[in-house]
Amino acid sequence: MSTDTLILKDQFPGLAGGWHYLDTAATAQKPQAVIDATTAALGRDYATVHRGVYARSAEMTLAFEAARRKVAGFLGGAEDEIVFTRGATEAINLVAQTWGVTNLRRGDRVLLSTLEHHSNIVPWQLLRDRIGIEIDVCPLTADGRIDLDAAAAMLTEAHKLVALAHVSNVLGSVLDVRRAADLAHGVGALLLVDGCQAAPRLALDMAALQCDFYVFSAHKLYGPTAIGALWARKAILDAMPPWHGGGSMIDRVTFAKTTYAPAPQRFEAGTPAIVEAIALGAAIDWLQDVGLARAEAHERDLAAVLRAELRARNDVTVFGPDDALGIVSFALDGVHPHDLGTILDEEGVAIRAGHHCAQPLMDHLGVPATARASFGLYSDESDIAALLKGIERTRRIFG
């Protein structure tokens, strides 16, 4: 355990008392810097944005739009390519219900993969039921990666969109986004990437990745809940119609006709998540100060240690590739993951147990659920030791 890690862990009030939190893939704990930014924005600095003529409103507007610039810089995109949403789920639904409804027709095809989160499956099924598109599913390699060789063989000019996870929330496997983009563009399709698990761990550059849409949720990135972002190429965003109607997204309203604000504002109807956006900006500042390269190495190393420990047992099945990024899913023979999670909680260890909003992947793995340990920048080997101790206790209870 490094001194550096201990100092970092001390920045997280939610971990006081020695709690071993191994559920970061579900939601990350918040550093004090984000909590302080939230408190200030909700307290002494609070005002509405965009329409107030008084000084504090103007200052809050500057802070809110500064958060948008931070998101743009974090992703390597432009400020007018960033739409604030309630999270990745809403961002994907926004694309489906705006770009999808405008550009897809009956018989057009969308390619997903076996490991997708439900948030990147259900919106396309809703669109299928509405307009008659077809959904194809790319298989996985033996070690749990999206099989891009299979994707290359499956893609045709009928495919208009490829939508894939950058990092699996169950297996921790990492997608070669640039190759996926090249394959999609090769048949004239666009690429949407679910970046929820990648954004907190990998340095991102939209120009290098060459995708067309990228989404993430703030709460997995050490920020608040109820906010996330959609990045889309400016030309694509400009051509997309609005989704929700109301204040802020308009240019001029009459009973005869309404004209809309330019992107991204026309996708942000109503009073925005002001405090949450500012706190997201603080989370990005904090994470960039720590360093994305450090995040990736730290969490990948911890995952490798845990995988080795689990594979040394003869009663554990470990899923996913050996170079999983910060996520380890496993099954303890004869013990339902929910029972394991309950006993671990008694030991002060928090893991995830269930299907992780990836039921098709569970079917592929041949299990109803898995136990999942996932790491953050506050994690260290003491968390692994506590997990292994809890697994031993569980084994004694279940025999």
Side-chain angles (χ1 to χ4, degrees), residues 15-51:
L15 298 177
W19 191 36
H20 298 284
Y21 185 73
L22 291 170
D23 197 21
T24 301
T27 194
Q29 293 291 314
K30 316 309 173 192
Q32 189 63 51
V34 171
I35 297 169
D36 291 344
T38 303
T39 301
L42 197 57
R44 68 164 192 259
D45 299 336
Y46 185 74
T48 193
V49 296
H50 295 150
R51 294 180 296 279

Side-chain angles (χ1 to χ4, degrees), residues 267-319:
F267 301 110
E268 297 178 3
T271 301
I274 303 166
V275 173
E276 291 81 0
I278 291 169
L280 168 56
I284 287 173
D285 287 342
W286 179 86
L287 183 55
Q288 289 181 320
D289 284 345
V290 172
L292 270 299
R294 173 181 169 189
E296 178 181 2
H298 177 71
E299 296 176 31
R300 199 185 291 272
D301 288 350
L302 286 173
V305 170
L306 177 56
R307 293 178 74 83
E309 292 283 357
L310 293 175
R311 282 188 164 152
R313 302 179 60 98
N314 60 11
D315 60 349
V316 171
T317 302
V318 183
F319 304 101

Side-chain angles (χ1 to χ4, degrees), residues 212-234:
D212 302 287
F213 304 99
Y214 198 94
V215 307
F216 74 90
S217 293
H219 71 98
K220 298 179 189 293
L221 198 145
Y222 306 99
T225 56
I227 192 166
L230 162 68
W231 171 88
R233 294 184 183 280
K234 185 65 165 64

